[in-house]
Amino acid sequence: MDNRELGDPGTPSFQVEKYPFFLLNRLVSRYNGVIEPRLRGIGLDIPFWRVLMVLGECSPRGVRDISLAAVIPLSTTTRIVQRMAGVGYIAISESSRDARVTEVSLTILGEEKLVEARAVTAPVYAGIINGVSAKDFNRLITILDRFYDNLTAFENVPAPRRGNNAGT
């Protein structure tokens, strides 16, 4: 049977083990469970790690940009950024281009912590991709990007209300 049908929650043949979003959530949860103790060992938690990884690509960055890149709600990102500034991993400043934007940059201590975080998480990543060909890995990235892009059509579209059946 076609796994796309088995993964469709709207079909009677639905199987949660074929539902890609269940599988993705299960994967991310297990991954976080594996790296969390490693991060705790160097004084980090998952939210700090996510912000450090995002800033490691580009710093300074606005809080909203960090929020989007780290897939963390803006209000939560703001609290994380405040906590990280409190321990000296990041510096916060007003954007010179737009005073409404708070820019966040890594400090030297933050850069050092990022190096540590990468060192403790890299072996896990290497183990995860072990045996996966470059072609399969690239295909996976392409498919995940396609799923992400396809969700755009459903953003800002109101969900159907309870009790309202189409066509009645």
Side-chain angles (χ1 to χ4, degrees):
M1 182 166 269
D2 185 342
N3 281 331
R4 292 174 300 173
E5 183 177 331
L6 296 175
D8 180 350
T11 64
S13 58
F14 174 74
Q15 295 176 12
V16 72
E17 297 84 11
K18 304 296 183 197
Y19 188 52
F21 304 102
F22 167 78
L23 297 172
L24 289 167
N25 281 327
R26 184 178 73 166
L27 174 65
V28 169
S29 180
R30 189 164 186 191
Y31 176 70
N32 285 342
V34 168
I35 66 166
E36 185 176 34
R38 289 163 173 79
L39 292 171
R40 262 190 272 117
I42 62 167
L44 291 178
D45 59 19
I46 298 283
F48 274 34
W49 173 76
R50 288 167 72 181
V51 171
L52 285 174
M53 295 295 280
V54 166
L55 288 172
E57 281 190 349
C58 176
S59 176
R61 261 180 139 138
V63 175
R64 182 175 302 280
D65 187 31
I66 294 169
S67 170
L68 292 171
V71 195
I72 302 171
L74 182 58
S75 61
T76 304
T77 302
T78 300
R79 289 191 302 273
I80 294 165
V81 162
Q82 290 167 347
R83 286 179 35 226
M84 292 179 75
V87 294
Y89 295 155
I90 59 170
I92 301 171
S93 62
E94 185 178 284
S95 169
S96 59
R97 293 182 307 272
D98 186 343
R100 297 169 297 174
V101 175
T102 300
E103 287 198 333
V104 181
S105 6
L106 285 173
T107 62
I108 292 172
L109 180 60
E111 289 173 0
E112 292 168 354
K113 196 52 78 170
L114 176 59
V115 168
E116 285 183 75
R118 286 180 170 166
V120 299
T121 57
V124 177
Y125 176 79
I128 292 168
I129 66 167
N130 184 36
V132 177
S133 71
K135 181 180 177 182
D136 284 347
F137 189 86
N138 291 340
R139 181 106 173 104
L140 172 65
I141 298 300
T142 299
I143 291 168
L144 291 174
D145 284 343
R146 187 176 308 147
F147 281 0
Y148 184 86
D149 291 344
N150 287 348
L151 281 169
T152 303
F154 298 94
E155 291 179 340
N156 301 319
V157 175
R161 294 191 320 209
R162 286 183 180 207
N164 287 354
N165 294 330
T168 60

